[in-house]
Amino acid sequence: MAIISWLSSSIFLSLFTLFCLSISNASWGAEAARESCRPISSLINKDLFHFMFLHKDDAACPAKDFYAYNSFIQASKSFPGFGTTGSLTTRKREIAAFLAQISHETSGGWATAPDGPYAWGLCYKEEINPQSDYCDSTNKEWPCYPGKSYKGRGPIQLSWNFNYGPAGKALGFDGLKNPEIVANNSMIALKTALWFWMTERKPKPSCHDVMVGRYIPTEADVAANRTAGFGVVTNIINGGLECGISNDARVNDRIGYFKRYAQLLNVDTGSNLDCANQKSF
């Protein structure tokens, strides 16, 4: 499994910064490269963020005041490729896709909710009434710690010991002994979502690679109809439960959020939005 260590991430960030400085000082044409060096905050400011998540700080939301705009911007700096790769269209589409997926995972909306069902993302920070402790006892690389629950937490609802372990290793916390920190520290919570988004887990590609056009389907992917697009991202995140089903309400909710955010960012969604005809990974 590809894991971005804190050190390698820091080195990459330093090199990326130096590259951007050299591009900004260059006299030759490098508009596309300069575009990729503009920070995410240039595409989504605080006002837009709060308009996207209109009700995240309502008293009715358990995650009230947890997911701050500044935390999102700071967390994204630990993953310099996120929202900075490719053309302006690609950058906006990736940001919209990421926010859509975490909105579904933390949604407090319903069909007749005020301002619509897609204005209620980031309402929750941990799973309510989990059906299990999400411990895969057969996984010896990331063994469960006695008494700990690896239920869904954070924006991506990080789940299972085999995700908490490597996420903690990559981000500098003990995911197996202290999984609760993902629901208690907003910066770590947002970083786990970005880590999940950026990290390849073979045979699954990373969500990032899919959204920026780096996903190259294998023979198995082609046979499973896993065509590049937002639908494959849903497949990566929860395909075993949601994909291969016609008109699945959960998939439709993800798409609804994606369409709203894409519209707010003035970008099209691209094709292949659902995974109804895809086999899960």
Side-chain angles (χ1 to χ4, degrees), residues 13 43 62 110 123 154 182 241 243:
L13 179 58
L43 299 180
W110 63 99
C123 189
V182 179
L241 295 177
C243 295

Side-chain angles (χ1 to χ4, degrees), residues 76-139:
S76 70
K77 291 180 180 179
S78 295
F79 299 88
F82 172 73
T84 63
T85 303
S87 67
L88 181 60
T89 295
T90 298
R91 293 182 62 199
K92 287 182 175 181
R93 189 180 291 146
E94 181 185 15
I95 293 170
F98 172 77
L99 295 179
Q101 293 290 357
I102 65 172
S103 291
H104 168 78
E105 295 293 337
T106 59
S107 180
W110 63 99
T112 59
D115 301 304
Y118 309 123
W120 288 79
L122 298 184
C123 189
Y124 288 88
K125 61 179 181 176
E126 60 186 329
E127 186 177 356
I128 306 298
N129 299 321
Q131 300 303 303
S132 75
D133 58 8
Y134 292 90
C135 170
D136 179 2
S137 59
T138 67
N139 189 295

Side-chain angles (χ1 to χ4, degrees), residues 170-188:
L171 300 174
F173 70 93
D174 193 331
L176 296 177
K177 291 184 179 180
N178 187 21
E180 299 88 357
I181 197 171
V182 179
N184 296 329
N185 184 304
S186 63
M187 186 69 73
I188 288 177

Side-chain angles (χ1 to χ4, degrees), residues 133-136 139-150 153 158-169 173-182:
D133 58 8
Y134 292 90
C135 170
D136 179 2
N139 189 295
K140 304 304 180 184
E141 183 179 6
W142 306 106
C144 302
Y145 196 75
K148 293 298 180 179
S149 169
Y150 303 101
R153 296 184 180 92
L158 190 74
S159 306
W160 296 99
N161 50 305
F162 52 73
N163 282 320
Y164 273 91
K169 182 177 181 180
F173 70 93
D174 193 331
L176 296 177
K177 291 184 179 180
N178 187 21
E180 299 88 357
I181 197 171
V182 179

Side-chain angles (χ1 to χ4, degrees), residues 1-271:
M1 177 183 292
I3 297 177
I4 303 174
S5 68
W6 176 87
L7 179 59
S8 62
S9 180
S10 298
I11 293 172
F12 182 79
L13 179 58
S14 298
L15 292 174
F16 183 78
T17 302
L18 288 172
F19 168 75
C20 290
L21 287 172
S22 67
I23 288 296
S24 66
N25 293 327
S27 59
W28 39 271
E31 189 59 36
R34 278 191 286 270
E35 179 60 50
S36 69
C37 290
R38 291 171 184 163
I40 290 176
S41 57
S42 69
L43 299 180
I44 174 170
N45 60 30
K46 189 173 184 178
D47 288 342
L48 178 55
F49 186 81
H50 284 287
F51 186 72
M52 287 175 160
F53 302 102
L54 274 173
H55 296 282
K56 72 180 182 65
D57 296 325
D58 283 11
C61 285
K64 181 180 183 295
D65 298 327
F66 186 69
Y67 297 112
Y69 170 75
N70 289 339
S71 295
F72 167 65
I73 296 301
Q74 286 300 117
S76 70
K77 291 180 180 179
S78 295
F79 299 88
F82 172 73
T84 63
T85 303
S87 67
L88 181 60
T89 295
T90 298
R91 293 182 62 199
K92 287 182 175 181
R93 189 180 291 146
E94 181 185 15
I95 293 170
F98 172 77
L99 295 179
Q101 293 290 357
I102 65 172
S103 291
H104 168 78
E105 295 293 337
T106 59
S107 180
W110 63 99
T112 59
D115 301 304
Y118 309 123
W120 288 79
L122 298 184
C123 189
Y124 288 88
K125 61 179 181 176
E126 60 186 329
E127 186 177 356
I128 306 298
N129 299 321
Q131 300 303 303
S132 75
D133 58 8
Y134 292 90
C135 170
D136 179 2
S137 59
T138 67
N139 189 295
K140 304 304 180 184
E141 183 179 6
W142 306 106
C144 302
Y145 196 75
K148 293 298 180 179
S149 169
Y150 303 101
K151 67 178 183 177
R153 296 184 180 92
I156 203 69
Q157 289 292 279
L158 190 74
S159 306
W160 296 99
N161 50 305
F162 52 73
N163 282 320
Y164 273 91
K169 182 177 181 180
L171 300 174
F173 70 93
D174 193 331
L176 296 177
K177 291 184 179 180
N178 187 21
E180 299 88 357
I181 197 171
V182 179
N184 296 329
N185 184 304
S186 63
M187 186 69 73
I188 288 177
L190 286 157
K191 284 184 178 181
T192 62
L194 287 161
W195 170 84
F196 188 94
W197 185 266
M198 301 295 292
T199 304
E200 177 186 28
R201 300 164 197 75
K202 292 184 178 180
K204 296 180 180 181
S206 71
C207 300
H208 170 72
D209 281 351
V210 172
M211 292 309 302
V212 302
R214 292 178 179 169
Y215 167 55
I216 301 175
T218 64
E219 288 185 11
D221 291 325
V222 173
N225 201 34
R226 294 191 287 261
T227 307
F230 186 75
V232 169
V233 174
T234 296
N235 200 331
I236 292 169
I237 295 172
N238 206 28
L241 295 177
E242 298 180 21
C243 295
I245 304 170
S246 178
N247 199 34
D248 184 82
R250 297 161 295 185
V251 173
N252 291 340
D253 189 65
R254 296 176 192 272
I255 295 171
Y257 273 111
F258 186 33
K259 287 181 175 179
R260 177 171 181 257
Y261 297 154
Q263 183 177 33
L264 290 173
L265 287 168
N266 194 29
V267 68
D268 67 273
T269 61
S271 55

